[in-house]
Amino acid sequence: MLTASIRHIFNYASFGSRNFHLSVVLPAEPLKKKKRVDPQVELERIRKKTRRIEKEIKRLEQRGRYLKPLDEIEGERHFIKTLDSRERKLPAPSQTEVEQRALLMKEWTRFKWRQLDTECQLLANQRRELYRAMQHLRMLDPSLFELASQPDESLLGLSLSGPLYTLPQSADVFDAVDGDYRDVTPTYRYTFEVDKKMTFGKKK
């Protein structure tokens, strides 16, 4: 320790003006002794792994391969890297074509505005005539007016039976279980294939 301090002081005195510093030499750590593994234990571990892989292959053969979800598909990397070379370069439009497109867009906007104005006028006229007919019916027969004011449920053909996404209020109908949780996050299960030559021993 004293030798290292003296060396540090000497180095600082010699090279301090040039802003050079030398650190203390650190000895290497002795190598760890490798643990001997029993060949029988290693062979048994390989057999377990092989049986697990064979079980996975059998399960895949019975149920088929899992399809990857669309939101997890990233695409081929080769196509992504060569995207710039396969992109079609369109020529820049001329000034005449730009003006024609602008005039066509203005004409299309005017056409759609006239179409919307016509539809709004038709709807306003229908509501006005309906209001007049209902007022005339009220003066003639109030009972028929009340029947005509009721909504016609047969037009939609929709029937609901209450909120379907909420739990029942009564504990006799449904007893909630504490800690029950089901993860519905879409995941992709990796499937793999193993060569039959990797199997060890005969199947029992």
Side-chain angles (χ1 to χ4, degrees):
M1 185 68 181
L2 182 60
T3 306
S5 300
I6 295 174
R7 185 182 302 170
H8 179 71
I9 295 173
F10 175 77
N11 294 334
Y12 181 79
S14 302
F15 306 102
S17 60
R18 299 182 181 179
N19 204 13
F20 286 106
H21 299 278
L22 299 178
S23 60
V24 181
V25 179
L26 300 177
E29 184 180 359
L31 298 176
K32 294 183 179 180
K33 187 178 180 180
K34 295 183 178 180
K35 297 181 180 180
R36 293 188 59 186
V37 181
D38 189 3
Q40 190 67 23
V41 175
E42 183 68 17
L43 183 60
E44 184 66 23
R45 185 183 64 83
I46 295 176
R47 288 178 177 176
K48 288 182 179 180
K49 185 177 180 180
T50 305
R51 286 194 296 267
R52 185 170 63 252
I53 295 175
E54 290 178 353
K55 185 178 179 181
E56 183 71 15
I57 293 176
K58 185 177 179 180
R59 185 185 61 82
L60 292 176
E61 290 178 352
Q62 293 177 354
R63 300 184 181 180
R65 299 176 61 89
Y66 286 96
L67 299 178
K68 190 173 184 179
L70 294 177
D71 54 354
E72 297 185 9
I73 297 178
E74 299 178 356
E76 296 290 339
R77 294 187 177 181
H78 173 69
F79 296 150
I80 296 176
K81 292 180 179 179
T82 60
L83 183 62
D84 297 336
S85 61
R86 294 183 292 105
E87 185 178 1
R88 181 178 299 177
K89 303 297 182 180
L90 298 177
S94 60
Q95 185 66 23
T96 306
E97 187 175 357
V98 171
E99 294 178 357
Q100 290 179 356
R101 291 181 181 179
L103 294 176
L104 183 61
M105 182 59 66
K106 291 181 181 180
E107 185 65 25
W108 173 255
T109 305
R110 287 192 292 267
F111 168 75
K112 296 301 291 183
W113 172 253
R114 289 193 297 267
Q115 183 181 9
L116 177 61
D117 187 42
T118 304
E119 292 178 356
C120 292
Q121 289 180 4
L122 290 176
L123 291 176
N125 295 334
Q126 290 178 1
R127 285 194 297 265
R128 190 182 307 109
E129 296 298 330
L130 179 61
Y131 178 76
R132 291 178 181 178
M134 293 296 291
Q135 294 299 324
H136 187 65
L137 182 61
R138 174 183 288 182
M139 291 186 296
L140 294 178
D141 192 348
S143 60
L144 293 178
F145 173 78
E146 293 295 334
L147 292 176
S149 301
Q150 299 296 327
D152 190 1
E153 298 180 356
S154 62
L155 295 178
L156 297 178
L158 177 64
S159 61
L160 300 177
S161 60
L164 303 178
Y165 292 94
T166 57
L167 298 178
Q169 300 295 332
S170 177
D172 299 335
V173 180
F174 178 78
D175 187 12
V177 181
D178 294 338
D180 189 10
Y181 175 75
R182 184 169 61 92
D183 189 8
V184 295
T185 304
T187 56
Y188 173 64
R189 299 180 60 181
Y190 177 75
T191 58
F192 52 87
E193 298 179 358
V194 180
D195 192 357
K196 295 296 183 180
K197 295 181 180 180
M198 295 180 59
T199 57
F200 293 88
K202 298 181 180 179
K203 294 184 179 180
K204 296 182 180 180

